[in-house]
Amino acid sequence: MANSKILIVDDDPDLRQALRLRLRANNYDTVNAVDGYSAIAVAYKEHPDIIILDLGLPAGDGFVVLDRLQKDDKLSTIPVIVLTARDPQSSERRALMAGAAAFFQKPADSAELLEVIRATLPKTATGTVLPS
Amino acid sequence: MKDQPTRVLLIEDNPGDTDLVRLRLVEGKSPVDVNCVNRLADGLDSLKKRSPSVILLDLNLPDSRGAETFRKVLESAPNVPVVILSGQDDEELAMKALHQGVQDYLVKGAFSSSSLDRAMRYAVERQALLRSLEMSRKQQLEFKNQFLSHVSHELRTPLTSIHQFTGILLDGLAGEMKPEQRDHLKTIMKSVNQLTAMVRDLLEATRAESGKLCIESRCVAIGDLIRQAVAMMQPAAREKGVGLEVGVDTRIPLVHGDPGRILEVLINLIENGIKFTPQGGAVTVRASLVQTDPDFVYISVMDTGCGISPEARALIFERLYQDPNAVDNNRKGLGLGLFIAKELVNLHGGRIWVASEPGSGSTFSFTLPLYSIAKLLLPVITHEGRLREDIVLVKVGLKPRSKPIQANWRETCRRCFDVLQRCVYLDKDLVLPAMTVGGAEETFVVVASTDLVRANVMMTRIRKQLEKVNGLNGTGELEVSALAVPLPERDGELSLDGQVERVARTISGMVRMVLGDQSSPEGQ
């Protein structure tokens, strides 16, 4: 069975690389986007199972992306995990109300992040994780 | 000011003095438009209608004397300069007035028209100058806080890089690590975690200073929180060989506060206790009620460490203060922890203080307000001076179906609370603040001024509305039930306050029972 596919949206190449290493070591496939605009384009093309989204992005920040995702029939079903340097007091509630499934502040504990990814992936009736 | 007449409000009751001042004003160089009143009340009324350029104020008026007079005027018109006309014996009082915001004073019978003129102009200029300094100070403070927020945000990006890649190496994702290499990586990781904590503290302290720290208060079982904090700090305590003990009075009722913030304060104090206690010592956390202060719970963290000198004790809750005698030089941190703890405790309406002698340990204590149902109930269960006829408790239980993501469940619960508020008539029904119960279950209690029959209508409405809440549908179970509240006799011997107290106690008891099978055995 194919691996689940995760779209990483962050303008920081180091973070993208670190996440990629982690996720692949846990048998997830990854694709990247570096800004708000390409985030939507890549989501359309690749139809990932989960999106990990930074908030401070060029060309349309994370909230613009969340909004666009919610408005699209196909894309709105993809769960979004926000991973941002911004602090929860100002951003967490807003992100969750905008449709995010979870909120993490950088640096995030890898084990916790992986656990939430696992719990958030769409599952089949038998509890097997569905690929895209 | 040169062309327009200066509007002067003269508050003076002695006709002779009034005439003299008027004379001086007319003799003066600048044109003036004088409004004279002889009582403070009339003066305050006039201030409400129209702002003068300057106020000339006699301190002894028929309806107000001394310091009270200028205090009231300053309160009423904080932006209008005030010049006091004082009697010869009143100079000391006039000086006091200067310290409180009055611009100048003149001694009656000893000023000419030119000194009166000069005093008024000086007062106006000085007031304008002080206001512009104040605005500049506020701008600088705002700039500093924005800068610190920005810095703490920016620091997270490189911190994250270090954290991520150190973790990747440590977990063997880039090849097998030798034991020595793993040890070094763990050391790096420890520093990264310390840096992250410092960055977080920096932001918190900045927010505390600009008054932007928020707390979300609900009902909290303080014993549970203390046990949670102790459990979190046990590993650190064990590593240092320091004992960590708890003593919580089981009779403590619910506390009104923000559980996350209270936990922060507890962890901060326990961490300090462990830091400053040598191996073999102990840190004890206690919570108890104090007879002389019945509205608060008293919490203390006591250590058997090196103690704090009197000089340090006075400064210890200030920002960036670090005890120069700190034993463990590796763990100094930014010195913001106690400052933040103090701000958080104050926001809750409590106090924090320390008792210590060098050489015999320290005890940090703080208070938190107890949750008072009576205060919240009073406006709701009384009507036209009497207790309402029927009161019903509606219990709404939310249970997640499977283990939820913390932040999402919290958000769902918040939304449910908002929806509940909209399902009741707020002038006669009260949704009690959320109660933190062990585990993920959330219980809301509505105190409704109605009978069981009409309560059914409310329950149906609640069920319908909550089922629609985004996030609850499919992920949580909803349970709604109602209980009638036994009431004391309305025309009995108790005063209205007494009746409300009795009902509050009854409801507290019922709420405890309702929560009883979910909270810990040593709960309320």
Side-chain angles (χ1 to χ4, degrees):
Chain A
M1 179 142 29
N3 289 340
S4 295
K5 193 190 294 185
I6 303 185
L7 166 57
I8 302 170
V9 185
D10 199 310
D11 60 334
D12 178 4
D14 293 336
L15 182 84
R16 290 199 306 267
Q17 186 194 11
L19 272 180
R20 195 163 53 234
L21 274 167
R22 270 276 168 213
L23 294 172
R24 288 201 183 158
N26 281 271
N27 293 321
Y28 296 115
D29 288 340
T30 64
V31 285
N32 287 342
V34 309
D35 60 40
Y37 180 73
S38 56
I40 305 293
V42 174
Y44 259 119
K45 179 164 171 248
E46 301 281 347
H47 215 293
D49 300 297
I50 276 200
I51 300 175
I52 297 181
L53 177 67
D54 182 24
L55 288 179
L57 295 167
D61 81 352
F63 287 111
V64 170
V65 172
L66 274 170
D67 189 57
R68 287 276 278 111
L69 289 172
Q70 286 295 300
K71 290 202 167 108
D72 183 289
D73 286 330
K74 274 202 205 154
L75 299 181
S76 61
T77 56
I78 308 175
V80 178
I81 296 177
V82 164
L83 176 61
T84 174
R86 291 187 199 173
D87 96 283
Q89 189 176 302
S90 49
S91 309
E92 184 175 19
R93 192 153 197 209
R94 191 179 164 201
L96 293 175
M97 308 255 313
F103 182 99
F104 279 93
Q105 185 181 26
K106 296 176 187 169
D109 180 87
S110 300
E112 272 180 47
L113 181 60
L114 285 167
E115 177 53 39
V116 167
I117 290 174
R118 214 190 45 77
T120 312
L121 280 169
K123 296 177 178 55
T124 62
T126 57
T128 327
V129 169
L130 280 173
S132 52
Chain B
M1 228 181 105
K2 311 236 155 74
D3 299 312
Q4 298 249 5
T6 315
R7 276 199 313 277
V8 177
L9 174 63
L10 170 62
I11 312 182
E12 169 67 71
D13 65 325
N14 182 314
D17 288 335
T18 307
D19 286 342
L20 198 59
V21 172
R22 273 182 180 277
L23 186 62
R24 295 280 179 252
L25 284 172
V26 161
E27 284 171 355
K29 281 187 229 139
S30 346
V32 287
D33 171 7
V34 186
N35 175 16
C36 184
V37 299
N38 47 27
R39 289 163 49 85
L40 179 63
D42 298 332
L44 295 176
D45 272 343
S46 171
L47 283 173
K48 275 188 220 144
K49 293 192 198 120
R50 211 181 177 209
S51 239
S53 311
V54 67
I55 300 173
L56 297 178
L57 178 65
D58 172 30
L59 287 180
N60 291 320
L61 298 163
D63 55 342
S64 178
R65 300 192 79 78
E68 193 54 25
T69 312
F70 59 75
R71 198 187 59 79
K72 283 197 178 139
V73 169
L74 288 172
E75 214 172 62
S76 189
N79 295 324
V80 180
V82 176
V83 175
I84 289 196
L85 305 170
S86 82
Q88 264 156 2
D89 315 324
D90 279 341
E91 254 190 274
E92 224 181 273
L93 186 58
M95 287 293 222
K96 187 175 171 189
L98 277 178
H99 283 287
Q100 304 233 356
V102 159
Q103 301 305 330
D104 203 349
Y105 72 90
L106 290 167
V107 179
K108 284 195 231 180
F111 60 87
S112 62
S113 56
S114 56
S115 35
L116 178 58
D117 198 44
R118 187 211 70 91
M120 291 196 305
R121 277 192 289 144
Y122 172 72
V124 170
E125 287 304 313
R126 189 160 173 249
Q127 174 85 318
L129 184 64
L130 283 174
R131 282 177 67 188
S132 107
L133 276 177
E134 175 67 18
M135 272 212 340
S136 164
R137 191 191 69 89
K138 279 198 181 131
Q139 272 174 350
Q140 282 183 332
L141 195 65
E142 183 59 32
F143 172 73
K144 182 194 80 169
N145 288 336
Q146 274 176 7
F147 174 69
L148 287 175
S149 279
H150 177 74
V151 162
S152 64
H153 174 271
E154 291 304 308
L155 288 175
R156 283 185 178 271
T157 303
L159 258 180
T160 304
S161 240
I162 304 173
H163 182 268
Q164 295 277 59
F165 285 101
T166 308
I168 283 169
L169 287 171
L170 260 175
D171 294 344
L173 297 182
E176 197 60 42
M177 287 286 122
K178 288 192 270 199
E180 198 189 343
Q181 288 173 327
R182 300 198 78 228
D183 279 345
H184 293 324
L185 287 168
K186 283 197 193 148
T187 305
I188 297 177
M189 202 52 134
K190 217 164 54 166
S191 277
V192 167
N193 289 333
Q194 276 169 20
L195 267 175
T196 308
M198 286 187 201
V199 164
R200 188 198 58 220
D201 280 357
L202 186 61
L203 184 63
E204 285 264 276
T206 307
R207 272 216 218 100
E209 259 210 317
S210 38
K212 293 200 184 115
L213 262 186
C214 298
I215 57 167
E216 272 182 47
S217 286
R218 54 217 314 275
C219 299
V220 175
I222 192 71
D224 290 345
L225 267 185
I226 291 178
R227 275 182 283 272
Q228 191 183 343
V230 163
M232 285 167 78
M233 297 306 297
Q234 276 293 6
R238 237 179 277 126
E239 199 186 310
K240 203 177 170 195
V242 168
L244 187 49
E245 285 145 32
V246 186
V248 173
D249 187 338
T250 53
R251 293 163 304 161
I252 299 175
L254 289 174
V255 164
H256 193 223
D258 184 319
R261 299 306 202 170
I262 298 174
L263 196 63
E264 232 180 280
V265 173
L266 285 168
I267 287 180
N268 191 288
L269 295 180
I270 297 173
E271 204 172 44
N272 276 350
I274 296 172
K275 225 198 275 192
F276 292 100
T277 299
Q279 191 184 35
V283 172
T284 312
V285 186
R286 283 211 184 84
S288 57
L289 297 172
V290 164
Q291 256 196 343
T292 50
D293 199 355
D295 295 330
F296 287 87
V297 63
Y298 278 60
I299 301 160
S300 66
V301 177
M302 181 179 75
D303 67 62
T304 59
C306 48
I308 305 169
S309 66
E311 303 82 49
R313 273 205 303 271
L315 298 168
I316 204 168
F317 291 104
E318 307 292 314
R319 275 178 310 145
L320 302 178
Y321 182 78
Q322 289 173 331
D323 193 331
N325 302 317
V327 167
D328 193 332
N329 285 311
N330 286 338
R331 314 252 182 106
K332 273 195 170 182
L334 279 175
L336 291 172
L338 286 175
F339 170 73
I340 294 170
K342 180 186 74 165
E343 294 298 310
L344 287 175
V345 167
N346 288 346
L347 270 176
H348 279 84
R351 296 177 297 130
I352 187 168
W353 67 97
V354 62
S356 176
E357 285 306 318
S360 49
S362 319
T363 303
F364 281 84
S365 310
F366 65 100
T367 60
L368 289 173
L370 291 173
Y371 167 55
S372 162
I373 290 190
K375 264 190 259 179
L376 291 172
L377 281 178
L378 184 62
V380 162
I381 65 173
T382 60
H383 182 63
E384 291 174 353
R386 310 187 76 192
L387 200 62
R388 300 228 189 228
E389 297 207 356
D390 300 283
I391 299 180
V392 163
L393 278 195
V394 175
K395 170 193 166 193
V396 178
L398 298 174
K399 198 159 44 176
R401 278 222 177 91
S402 52
K403 184 158 181 258
I405 295 173
Q406 258 256 12
N408 288 5
W409 182 245
R410 265 205 316 264
E411 184 55 35
T412 304
C413 292
R414 263 193 218 115
R415 279 186 216 158
C416 288
F417 185 81
D418 290 341
V419 165
L420 261 184
Q421 296 267 59
R422 292 200 293 269
C423 288
V424 306
Y425 298 108
L426 289 175
D427 60 337
K428 57 186 214 31
D429 306 321
L430 173 69
V431 184
L432 293 180
M435 323 212 176
T436 297
V437 155
E441 289 177 45
E442 188 86 353
T443 306
F444 295 108
V445 175
V446 179
V447 179
S449 300
T450 188
D451 54 49
L452 276 173
V453 170
R454 270 174 282 223
N456 266 316
V457 176
M458 180 190 283
M459 292 199 296
T460 311
R461 186 167 61 230
I462 290 176
R463 235 185 241 111
K464 256 214 193 119
Q465 291 300 319
L466 283 181
E467 271 161 13
K468 287 197 235 161
V469 166
N470 192 11
L472 194 62
N473 202 0
T475 58
E477 273 170 28
L478 193 57
E479 191 203 293
V480 187
S481 56
L483 283 165
V485 177
L487 297 176
E489 258 188 48
R490 285 165 92 207
D491 299 317
E493 280 169 2
L494 285 176
S495 66
L496 186 61
D497 275 340
Q499 289 172 39
V500 171
E501 266 295 321
R502 169 94 44 102
V503 174
R505 270 205 301 275
T506 307
I507 292 180
S508 295
M510 291 171 80
V511 168
R512 272 203 297 277
M513 254 179 11
V514 144
L515 295 177
D517 48 15
Q518 294 151 350
S519 61
S520 65
E522 290 131 314
Q524 311 79 54

